[in-house]
Amino acid sequence: MNKILIIGSGGREHALAWKLKQSPRVGKIFVAPGNAGTAELGENVNIKPTDILALADWAQKNKIDFTVVGPDDSLALGIVDEFQKRDLKIWGPSKQAAQIEASKAFAKKLMKDNNIPTAEYQTFSDYHQALKYLENKGAPIVIKASGLALGKGVSVCQTLDEAKKFLQDVMVNKIFGDAGNEVVIEEFLQGPEFSIHAFSDGKTFQLLPPSQDHKPVFNEGKGPNTGGMGTIAPLPWVDQKLMDEVSSTIVKPALDGLKNLDSPFVGLLYPGLMLTKDGPKVIEFNSRFGDPETQSYMRLLDSDLFDILEACVNGNLADIKIEWAKKYACCIVLASGGYPGNYEKGLPITGIDEAEKMDDVVVFHAGTKTSDDGKLLTNGGRILGVTAVADDLQSALNKAYEAVKLIKFEGMHYRTDIGLKSLLNTKNTKLRNQLV
Ligand code: AMP
Ligand code: GLY
């Protein structure tokens, strides 16, 4: 039996722990730092995901057999390299390979060098040159702080004034600190967005079903971007032909490109894509599982997750057949009042047990904690992910939204239109049958 350590504390990590727990090869699960949900599946360890030396020390001392990394910042800091140095098995890309997410300038160059379709762009480390380029290009235009900025370093600017202000904030006022030392300024693209995930062992890869996150906080895509307000998988309007195109024009050249730089990617590559009128284009690359995508994915995965992750690390992913339920899953995120801005913490949550009594409903925790007297409390911006599975997307969404009605905490808010656009696009059952 393998002793597992999962790094992170979100819905993604709870979903991974939930799935790993089902493996006959997995023994005790530790989650650092975890949440109230992961504490029910295993044991939480109070170490931050960014404290990679303390995590490696702890894993060594506690004889962990296999570590799974959730968040991007641990990867960007080189957690995988640190564990490998100590002969500890760990799933995730090296610091070098994780640059595909940690540095947008690196990712754009990789795409350019490997002819991967993406928005036209230029990279700047000089504010005045960036400003001149901006004035030349005009709006709409997109500005991205190159480094990691908690998902907030991107501004889609509709006017030149807006763009100039954001550029100044990033490069002069340093609102994202060093993440703004370099900026990428790129062409504004249009089209529906979707998420592709690929397991990779550094030599071969296997795609997960297509999925879609809903990043803006309010219905119809209004309001500021969040870490993700809900997902569906598979995506009914992404057919096998489009998946093949993404595989050959985006995933394969990106992984080959990294291999050619002597930094093969082991773990999960997640390109965020836009389906433009000229075909799929990359908006960004992530070097880890998406959240809340993972909450939907884990509900559909029939195979043993531990076998897959181990095969990535051992370099024999080609020998593994990954099975997915021929169903639809969705995840509705319940967020704190005020999120993604300021919000209160420590508010009591009720109704999860009732919700989970419903068939095919599982509630994953994100920002939750248990009080000293055993009460479940809010402890973050995104609090819970309510997931459901069904034979068709409409039924999955109906179930999840029914379950959502049973859960309460003060200020709770959620989008009521997760998957709606896809549903309207997909009364076509023939298309549905072609899905991966
Ligand atoms: P990112 O953090 O790179 O995923 O960007 C956040 C969001 O900004 C994306 O989900 C898109 O909605 C939007 N975005 C990023 N780049 C572009 C682009 N080149 N054109 C239009 N929208 C973009
Ligand atoms: N689904 C958004 C993210 O994980 O970055």
Side-chain angles (χ1 to χ4, degrees), residues 104 119 142 144 151 154 156 186-189 193 215 225 274 283-284:
K104 289 192 193 289
V142 181
K144 303 184 173 185
V154 174
V156 178
E186 69 178 34
E187 171 200 7
F188 171 70
L189 298 176
E193 287 180 53
K215 283 186 186 168
N225 264 351
M274 199 176 261
I283 292 291
E284 62 168 355

Side-chain angles (χ1 to χ4, degrees), residues 14-22 41 298-299 362 364:
H14 188 194
L16 292 173
W18 176 84
K19 188 66 199 171
L20 283 168
K21 184 89 186 163
Q22 295 166 22
L41 293 172
M298 292 304 115
R299 298 297 317 277
V362 175
F364 293 120

Side-chain angles (χ1 to χ4, degrees), residues 213 215 227 270 286 288-293:
D213 191 6
K215 283 186 186 168
Y270 152 23
N286 300 293
R288 49 159 180 96
F289 274 113
D291 189 358
E293 285 91 334

Side-chain angles (χ1 to χ4, degrees), residues 39-54:
E40 281 173 26
L41 293 172
E43 193 178 318
N44 288 349
V45 179
N46 191 16
I47 306 176
K48 281 201 204 105
T50 46
D51 201 348
I52 63 172
L53 292 178

Side-chain angles (χ1 to χ4, degrees), residues 59-112:
Q60 222 163 11
K61 196 161 139 231
N62 289 277
K63 303 201 162 33
I64 293 297
D65 297 301
F66 197 91
T67 297
V68 179
V69 189
D72 51 10
D73 42 4
S74 314
L75 296 167
L77 287 166
I79 191 168
V80 170
D81 312 61
E82 183 60 37
F83 273 55
Q84 283 173 347
K85 214 162 67 189
R86 305 184 190 203
D87 278 331
L88 292 165
K89 272 208 169 175
I90 183 163
W91 178 87
S94 65
K95 182 176 184 176
Q96 187 74 16
Q99 278 194 90
I100 196 165
E101 173 166 8
S103 164
K104 289 192 193 289
F106 174 90
K108 287 303 262 192
K109 183 165 185 321
L110 184 86
M111 287 188 260
K112 195 176 200 172

